[in-house]
Amino acid sequence: MHLTIAGCGDAFSSGGRFHTCFWLDHDQGSALIDCGATSLTALKRQGLKPEAADTVLITHPHGDHMGGLPFLLIDRAFRAGKLAPIRLVGPVGLGARLEALSAALYPGAWRQLPFDIQITELMPGDATEVAGLDIATEAMRHPSGAPTLGFRVAADGKTLAFTGDTAWCDGVERLADGADLLIIECSAMCEGVPWHISHEELVRHRDRLGARRIALSHMGEDVLAAAPADFERLDDGRMIRL
């Protein structure tokens, strides 16, 4: 399992970082985890071919996590040679939200894409297998108009856990338990940002995170400025082999 960090920024692109988008290569294909509004640019800057992703996992329908999907799909329509189906996995309501977003940005384009879109909608606690990925979900605490999901993604004998956006909750601990890598959000140094995790909380709860490796994403300006050494930090463009 090979991970490329196309984008690990927060909603406000703190530090000039791209919105959340992780490229995952495994034995049976390539997948994206989240596809924020700036993701198409981020992927191409890293020399990745967006049309090669056969699966996209979406944690929740906020713009910095799924706003790039219409651009990804339209770009794929122009570039995909075989026009194979693409699989989208996310919370209940994903299909309706994506259709509404696509219609607002590019009226009519949604119904003219020359490939099939296969959508799997999940509730927290659901598990499924898609394109060689074993996917399990946990409930996260982050209002988004849909059930916000955290993912455990297993392939090639390794497990990646990703919280997406969330306040601290029991689901974070369940995601982390036994994972080879936990990517966890850290939106601020101190508590007080609603529906997000702070560095203070991570330090306090570190012993409850049973992952072999922990890395911070979705960092706000104060976290980037403080450069805390307590946890590994992600950066756009970084590659990780599990």
Side-chain angles (χ1 to χ4, degrees):
M1 184 186 289
H2 184 206
L3 189 69
T4 301
I5 315 303
C8 61
D10 60 5
F12 314 111
S13 297
S14 294
R17 295 172 176 225
F18 290 111
H19 291 148
T20 302
C21 183
F22 301 101
W23 179 279
L24 181 64
D25 283 316
H26 59 105
D27 282 349
Q28 296 188 44
S30 299
L32 294 182
I33 303 177
D34 277 345
C35 186
T38 60
S39 294
L40 193 62
T41 305
L43 292 167
K44 293 184 178 183
R45 178 164 293 186
Q46 297 304 322
L48 298 166
K49 295 184 178 180
E51 68 273 14
D54 54 38
T55 306
V56 182
L57 279 60
I58 298 293
T59 57
H60 65 289
H62 279 162
D64 56 319
H65 292 263
M66 74 164 280
L69 267 182
F71 301 97
L72 182 85
L73 295 174
I74 292 172
D75 180 78
R76 191 174 192 268
F78 282 96
R79 298 177 183 276
K82 190 178 178 181
L83 300 180
I86 188 168
R87 304 166 184 88
L88 308 181
V89 181
V92 169
L94 174 64
R97 291 288 285 269
L98 176 58
E99 184 169 4
L101 177 61
S102 299
L105 295 176
Y106 294 102
W110 172 258
R111 302 191 180 280
Q112 298 176 22
L113 296 174
F115 50 84
D116 290 334
I117 300 174
Q118 300 172 359
I119 299 177
T120 300
E121 297 187 348
L122 302 175
M123 289 293 293
D126 286 349
T128 190
E129 189 277 331
V130 177
L133 299 174
D134 290 317
I135 301 165
T137 66
E138 291 286 350
M140 298 291 100
R141 288 182 58 209
H142 188 76
S144 65
T148 296
L149 305 177
F151 287 116
R152 282 177 65 95
V153 182
D156 307 340
K158 300 293 182 180
T159 300
L160 168 67
F162 177 56
T163 65
D165 289 2
T166 185
W168 186 268
C169 61
D170 292 342
V172 172
E173 297 178 45
R174 290 191 291 269
L175 281 180
D177 189 27
D180 294 285
L181 173 64
L182 168 69
I183 297 177
I184 188 167
E185 74 126 287
C186 183
S187 292
M189 286 299 295
C190 301
E191 294 182 57
V193 178
W195 309 113
H196 289 283
I197 295 174
S198 69
H199 184 262
E200 283 184 345
E201 291 171 293
L202 287 173
V203 171
R204 188 166 68 248
H205 297 309
R206 183 169 189 159
D207 291 344
R208 297 162 68 179
L209 296 174
R212 296 177 179 86
R213 183 175 177 184
I214 300 170
L216 305 185
S217 182
H218 205 272
M219 290 171 280
E221 296 284 2
D222 61 339
V223 182
L224 295 172
D230 310 73
F231 298 92
E232 180 179 349
R233 300 194 325 167
L234 296 181
D235 295 291
D236 291 359
R238 185 173 171 189
M239 299 180 186
I240 299 174
R241 186 175 294 278
L242 297 181

